[in-house]
């Protein structure tokens, strides 16, 4: 039965009306909460702090508490509890929910359950680029005019992190953390790339590759990057790429204008159409090709696909220009893996007229420790580098993977424990034409915004 918004209740949530979210302020969790709220479920939850996402939820009438409290009446009265994968088993509210024998869902399990409500599920996996590619697919679906829902792991400047106008198509990210991508029952699957990340969840690189292999094999159709040898080694799947002439969907005749790329799409060797992206960076050519390939597998017209791709502008925190100080551009990017850092730095160098300053915040001690050689390799060539204190996320302190340890090992960087140090450094150095690049998946984004206000 449809509700007043025209959205149907979920078949997989029979006898459930009240749902409590632990970690509701996360970008993915908040999108799920918005979806359920639109289907007339009673939704509320808690998070560690107030944020842009919690404010968005509050504005939509969803009650959000700050801090854990196992005595909350809403927790006791919930029919089901959804918890983010990042919280520890010892979390007070999770422990209470278990004691009350509530119906419990991890975020990944719950997302997998929701997928079953849609006729066509498109999943986007890969170590890098998932959010941008997911948003591009959403723009394509909007452009061709089909009923769809998008669950995006970041804030698209036009669609936000959640958009819905029907249930014929569903596009979502499939994250490899804790092998969660295997819980997504995808009809069409995208694999953008493969890299060593979240290795604390795997028994080595072969285990990681086997996980991606299973992800591709379980979908009706999977599309893999032809320029990534690891992706190609997983099996015989339709492919997309730039360099590999054997790619089924290939970008040729690339042209760059201020790091905004245009290219011709070749479909099985035949030149099909021209695409001119608004998004900055060569990496977005791959994201666009993947979205194009999936859309064509549904039989969509190439002109409508191109219009959708070209309507995509940006995701917040993905090479986002947040302001200017003394004529220097302040740009934030979510890059927190060595490969992502290298790609983002190349893009910044392509638009920088003066000096490039890089502020990098490591995300988790385990990632920094496991990938220390890779971080050293990509960061050592940078001339104006500041390492900012680690964003620990779910982890306890580990000095071997700390930001201070990384900075000492680099030998060519400064270290900042707080925003004041960043302020003094940039106040003395930046000039017109320079670019200040803030990199990381933690709170560096908010530190950069605060810093810009302080400097101005």
């Amino acid at each position: 039965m449809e509700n007043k918004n025209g959205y149907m209740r979920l078949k997989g949530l029979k006898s459930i009306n009240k749902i409590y979210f632990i970690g509701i302020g996360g970008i993915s969790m908040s999108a799920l909460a918005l979806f359920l709220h639109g289907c007339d479920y009673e939704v509320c939850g808690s998070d560690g702090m107030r944020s842009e996402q919690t404010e968005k939820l509050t504005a939509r009438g969803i009650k959000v508490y700050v801090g854990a409290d196992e005595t909350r009446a809403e927790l006791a009265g919930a029919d089901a509890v959804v918890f983010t994968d990042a919280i520890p088993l010892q979390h007070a509210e999770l422990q209470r929910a278990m004691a009350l024998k509530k119906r419990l869902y991890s975020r990944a399990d719950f997302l997998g359950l929701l997928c079953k409500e849609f006729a066509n599920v498109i999943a986007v996996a890969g170590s890098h680029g998932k959010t941008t590619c997911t948003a591009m697919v959403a723009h394509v679906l909007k452009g061709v005019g089909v009923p769809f829902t998008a669950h995006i792991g970041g804030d698209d400047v036009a669609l936000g992190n959640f958009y819905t106008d029907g249930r014929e198509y569903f596009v979502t990210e499939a994250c490899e953390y804790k092998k969660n991508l295997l819980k997504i029952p995808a009809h069409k699957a995208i694999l953008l790339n493969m890299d060593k990340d979240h290795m604390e969840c795997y028994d080595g690189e072969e285990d990681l590759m086997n996980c991606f292999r299973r992800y591709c094999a379980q979908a009706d159709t999977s599309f893999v990057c032809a320029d990534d040898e690891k992706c190609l080694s997983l099996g015989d799947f339709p492919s997309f790429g730039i360099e590999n002439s054997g790619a089924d969907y290939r970008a040729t005749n690339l042209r760059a204008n201020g790091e905004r790329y245009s290219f011709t799409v070749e479909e099985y060797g035949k030149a099909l159409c021209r695409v001119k992206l608004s998004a900055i960076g060569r990496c977005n050519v791959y994201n666009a090709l993947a979205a194009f390939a999936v859309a064509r597998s549904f039989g969509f017209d190439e002109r409508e696909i191109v219009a959708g791709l070209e309507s995509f502008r940006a995701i917040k925190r993905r090479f986002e220009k947040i302001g200017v100080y003394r004529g220097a551009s302040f740009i934030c990017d979510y890059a927190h893996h060595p490969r992502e850092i290298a790609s983002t730095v190349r893009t910044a160098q392509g638009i920088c007229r003066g000096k490039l300053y890089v502020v990098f915040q490591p995300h988790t001690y385990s990632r920094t420790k496991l990938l220390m050689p890779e971080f050293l390799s990509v960061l050592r060539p940078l001339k104006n580098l500041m390492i900012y204190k680690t964003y620990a996320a779910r982890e306890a302190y580990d000095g071997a993977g700390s930001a201070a340890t990384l900075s000492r090992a680099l030998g060519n960087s400064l270290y900042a424990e707080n925003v004041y140090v960043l302020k003094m450094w940039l106040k003395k150095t930046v000039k017109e034409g320079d670019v200040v690049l803030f990199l990381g998946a933690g709170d560096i984004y908010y530190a950069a915004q605060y810093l810009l206000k302080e400097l101005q």
Side-chain angles (χ1 to χ4, degrees):
M1 176 183 292
E2 291 187 356
N3 65 12
K4 60 187 177 182
N5 299 316
Y7 304 145
M8 292 187 295
R9 300 274 282 190
L10 306 179
K11 292 175 287 187
L13 295 181
K14 292 179 180 178
S15 75
I16 289 179
N17 289 299
K18 299 178 180 179
I19 304 173
Y20 190 91
F21 281 77
I22 303 175
I24 198 170
I27 197 83
S28 176
M29 291 281 278
S30 64
L32 296 177
L34 286 171
F35 180 38
L36 293 170
H37 180 68
C39 296
D40 278 353
Y41 290 92
E42 290 186 42
V43 178
C44 70
S46 65
D47 205 82
M49 66 181 73
R50 297 215 174 271
S51 64
E52 184 178 343
Q53 295 305 320
T54 62
E55 293 304 311
K56 184 192 299 184
L57 294 172
T58 300
R60 294 285 293 272
I62 298 174
K63 187 177 288 186
V64 177
Y65 292 102
V66 176
D69 183 353
E70 65 271 27
T71 67
R72 287 196 180 111
E74 289 88 347
L75 176 61
D79 301 313
V81 174
V82 182
F83 59 94
T84 175
D85 295 300
I87 69 165
L89 183 63
Q90 297 76 23
H91 189 278
E93 290 183 341
L94 182 57
Q95 285 290 312
R96 179 61 174 161
M98 293 169 66
L100 292 172
K101 300 189 185 307
K102 296 294 181 183
R103 196 181 301 188
L104 292 173
Y105 299 95
S106 70
R107 182 206 64 87
D109 286 328
F110 196 72
L111 180 58
L113 181 69
L114 293 190
C115 286
K116 297 176 182 178
E117 304 288 330
F118 295 85
N120 298 285
V121 176
I122 305 165
V124 182
S127 303
H128 323 290
K130 292 185 290 292
T131 297
T132 301
C133 186
T134 300
M136 283 188 175
V137 173
H139 278 263
V140 169
L141 294 173
K142 198 170 192 301
V144 300
V146 295
F148 79 99
T149 296
H151 175 252
I152 305 170
D155 267 325
D156 181 281
V157 295
L159 303 178
N161 64 331
F162 169 74
Y163 177 90
T164 184
D165 65 8
R167 294 196 196 165
E168 187 174 346
Y169 295 87
F170 181 56
V171 57
T172 186
E173 296 182 28
C175 181
E176 70 273 22
Y177 179 63
K178 292 186 176 180
K179 302 185 180 180
N180 284 338
L181 75 173
L182 299 179
K183 298 177 180 179
I184 307 299
H187 300 96
K188 309 286 184 179
I190 290 171
L191 180 55
L192 295 166
N193 41 59
M194 283 178 55
D195 228 329
K196 289 190 294 183
D197 201 8
H198 299 300
M199 294 307 294
E200 72 277 14
C201 305
Y202 293 88
D203 294 326
E205 193 169 2
E206 186 61 33
D207 188 28
L208 175 69
M209 289 186 65
N210 283 335
C211 181
F212 279 116
R213 184 178 289 110
R214 288 173 59 194
Y215 161 77
C216 290
Q218 72 186 21
D220 293 345
T221 310
S222 293
F223 299 85
V224 304
C225 181
D227 293 350
D228 189 310
E229 291 185 4
K230 292 177 182 177
C231 289
L232 280 183
S233 71
L234 298 183
D236 186 16
F237 300 105
S239 62
F240 56 89
I242 301 173
E243 308 299 338
N244 191 331
S245 59
D248 299 311
Y249 288 87
R250 190 183 179 206
T252 60
N253 300 317
L254 269 70
R255 300 286 185 271
N257 181 12
E259 286 299 308
R260 287 181 171 87
Y261 283 80
S262 61
F263 55 94
T264 298
V265 177
E266 289 188 358
E267 183 181 52
Y268 297 100
K270 177 184 176 182
L272 198 62
C273 53
R274 189 83 184 160
V275 178
K276 185 178 181 181
L277 296 176
S278 298
I280 291 177
R282 191 173 185 266
C283 58
N284 284 314
V285 177
Y286 288 100
N287 296 327
L289 279 174
F292 192 99
V294 162
R296 287 293 285 173
S297 73
F298 286 114
F300 297 146
D301 182 83
E302 66 268 21
R303 292 165 296 182
E304 293 178 327
I305 298 173
V306 171
L309 290 174
E310 293 182 345
S311 72
F312 170 78
R313 288 179 291 153
I315 300 282
K316 289 183 180 180
R317 295 190 71 169
R318 272 64 174 182
F319 214 80
E320 178 188 358
K321 183 176 178 179
I322 63 169
V324 175
Y325 169 65
R326 288 184 183 166
S329 297
F330 277 41
I331 295 172
C332 292
D333 194 272
Y334 202 68
H336 55 284
H337 185 281
R339 183 167 165 181
E340 295 167 349
I341 293 169
S343 175
T344 307
V345 166
R346 280 195 299 270
T347 300
Q349 289 169 336
I351 65 169
C352 184
R353 294 183 291 108
K355 291 183 178 180
L356 175 64
Y357 294 86
V358 176
V359 180
F360 171 58
Q361 180 186 43
H363 186 267
T364 73
Y365 300 110
S366 60
R367 179 181 284 112
T368 308
K369 184 177 178 179
L370 287 167
L371 300 179
M372 183 67 76
E374 289 89 342
F375 279 116
L376 295 177
S377 176
V378 75
L379 292 172
R380 271 183 176 147
L382 303 180
K383 294 181 178 179
N384 304 293
L385 174 64
M386 178 73 77
I387 304 298
Y388 189 62
K389 63 179 180 179
T390 299
Y391 187 78
R394 56 195 171 270
E395 295 183 346
Y397 176 78
D398 182 352
S402 72
T405 298
L406 172 63
S407 182
R408 286 194 297 270
L410 281 166
N412 66 322
S413 74
L414 299 173
Y415 174 71
E417 184 67 26
N418 53 55
V419 175
Y420 178 77
V421 176
L422 294 180
K423 179 182 176 181
M424 292 299 100
W425 180 54
L426 295 175
K427 197 172 183 179
K428 293 177 182 177
T429 53
V430 298
K431 299 176 182 177
E432 185 172 350
D434 294 343
V435 170
V436 184
L437 190 60
F438 297 88
L439 303 176
D443 56 8
I444 186 66
Y445 181 64
Y446 306 104
Q449 292 175 321
Y450 174 78
L451 176 63
L452 186 59
K453 290 179 181 178
E454 286 287 297
L455 287 169
Q456 290 173 335

